């Protein structure tokens, strides 16, 4: 929000602050959206300016994520979705399953909702980097930080900085994500409403990285 880092945005889940683990080594305040399946979300509110009715703590702004609730949906509403994704980089077919069922009584005073999502994904990234930049100059050849000058095909000396090695790296990450929700709502009157909401998420990541020395 406003071009600031996600660490400076306060994210609330149903109006409550939720601390989530991060896949990085450094601690952070930002909400890990990778743990929250999209089909659990009913709507989001984005506040760029502080207001008295919302919690303070976000320099960039505040995001409130609202999950689905049974009394907001039709009775016996739901869906089941199954899809597969193919990526030519990984050459793998990977599945995603999701389902939701919501029920409420005819008087709209009691409702129950179940939801589950499972997803497998693999991503591959490749990178080429220039490592160990070194000064090639006969004037500093005796120093630890320099090497003798290079020569072109005509035998002319070439001085200056050049990489001492070219490294090709490939990173392959396997990600398995499971998300589930169980919600019970009871609203006996127009002024009383109680909600029990249980949301669980599990994200496992395995990363393999291969380094290849192309030239030295």
């Amino acid at each position: 929000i406003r071009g600031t880092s996600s660490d400076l945005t306060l994210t609330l889940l149903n109006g409550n602050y939720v601390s989530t683990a991060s896949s990085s080594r450094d601690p952070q305040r930002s909400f890990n959206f990778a743990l929250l399946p999209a089909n659990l979300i009913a709507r989001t509110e984005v506040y760029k300016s502080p207001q008295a009715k919302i919690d303070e703590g976000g320099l960039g702004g505040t995001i409130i994520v609202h999950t689905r609730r049974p009394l907001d949906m039709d009775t016996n509403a739901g869906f089941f979705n199954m899809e597969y994704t193919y990526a030519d980089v990984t050459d793998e077919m990977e599945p995603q399953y999701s389902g939701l069922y919501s029920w409420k009584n005819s008087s709209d005073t009691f409702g129950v909702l179940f939801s589950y999502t499972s997803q497998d994904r693999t991503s591959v990234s490749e990178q080429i980097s220039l490592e160990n930049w070194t000064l090639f100059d006969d004037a500093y050849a005796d120093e630890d930080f320099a090497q003798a000058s290079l020569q072109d095909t005509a035998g002319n000396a070439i001085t200056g900085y050049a990489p001492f090695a070219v490294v090709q790296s490939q990173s392959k990450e396997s990600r398995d994500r499971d998300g589930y929700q169980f919600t019970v709502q009871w609203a006996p009157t127009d002024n009383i409403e109680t909600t029990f909401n249980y949301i669980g998420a599990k994200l496992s990541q395995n990363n393999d990285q291969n380094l290849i020395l192309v030239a030295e």
Side-chain angles (χ1 to χ4, degrees):
I1 299 179
R2 300 188 186 277
T4 59
S5 169
S6 59
D7 292 340
L8 303 179
T9 298
L10 176 65
T11 301
L12 304 175
L13 184 62
N14 293 321
N16 300 308
Y17 178 77
V18 179
S19 59
T20 55
S22 171
S23 57
S24 62
R25 297 180 180 179
D26 298 328
Q28 60 180 15
R29 303 190 317 163
S30 60
F31 184 81
N32 191 352
F33 283 96
L35 296 175
L36 187 63
N39 59 359
L40 298 184
I41 300 175
R43 71 183 194 279
T44 59
E45 300 178 54
V46 179
Y47 296 91
K48 294 185 178 181
S49 302
Q51 297 185 16
K53 66 177 182 179
I54 61 175
D55 293 341
E56 57 85 23
L59 296 178
T62 302
I63 297 177
I64 303 178
V65 180
H66 297 275
T67 57
R68 299 179 186 268
R69 295 188 176 187
L71 295 185
D72 298 332
M73 304 178 64
D74 296 334
T75 185
N76 294 323
F79 65 84
F80 175 75
N81 180 58
M82 180 178 63
E83 64 181 66
Y84 278 82
T85 299
Y86 172 77
D88 55 1
V89 178
T90 60
D91 196 23
E92 294 185 11
M93 291 283 293
E94 297 175 305
Q96 175 175 314
Y97 309 98
S98 60
L100 182 144
Y101 176 74
S102 179
W103 173 88
K104 65 180 178 180
N105 58 10
S106 58
S107 58
D108 291 346
T109 58
F110 182 78
V112 181
L113 181 146
F114 301 92
S115 179
Y116 177 75
T117 300
S118 177
Q119 181 189 75
D120 296 335
R121 288 291 183 269
T122 302
S123 63
V124 175
S125 60
E126 297 181 350
Q127 179 180 352
I128 295 179
S129 60
L130 305 177
E131 306 289 343
N132 300 331
W133 286 80
T134 305
L135 174 63
F136 294 87
D137 194 331
D138 291 336
Y140 302 96
D142 295 334
E143 303 293 339
D144 294 336
F145 59 85
Q147 300 284 337
S149 300
L150 300 175
Q151 292 184 349
D152 58 14
T153 56
N156 300 317
I158 301 176
T159 61
Y161 284 90
F164 206 78
V166 179
V167 178
Q168 178 183 356
S169 62
Q170 182 187 72
S171 178
K172 183 176 182 180
E173 181 184 84
S174 299
R175 175 185 296 177
D176 299 327
R177 182 176 68 173
D178 295 310
Y180 36 88
Q181 178 184 5
F182 172 63
T183 304
V184 178
Q185 270 189 297
W186 180 50
T189 67
D190 294 337
N191 298 323
I192 298 177
E193 179 181 311
T194 60
T195 302
F196 172 81
N197 193 24
Y198 177 80
I199 295 178
K202 180 181 179 181
L203 176 64
S204 59
Q205 295 173 286
N206 294 319
N207 194 301
D208 295 327
Q209 189 170 20
N210 298 320
L211 299 179
I212 303 174
L213 184 61
V214 179
E216 183 176 6

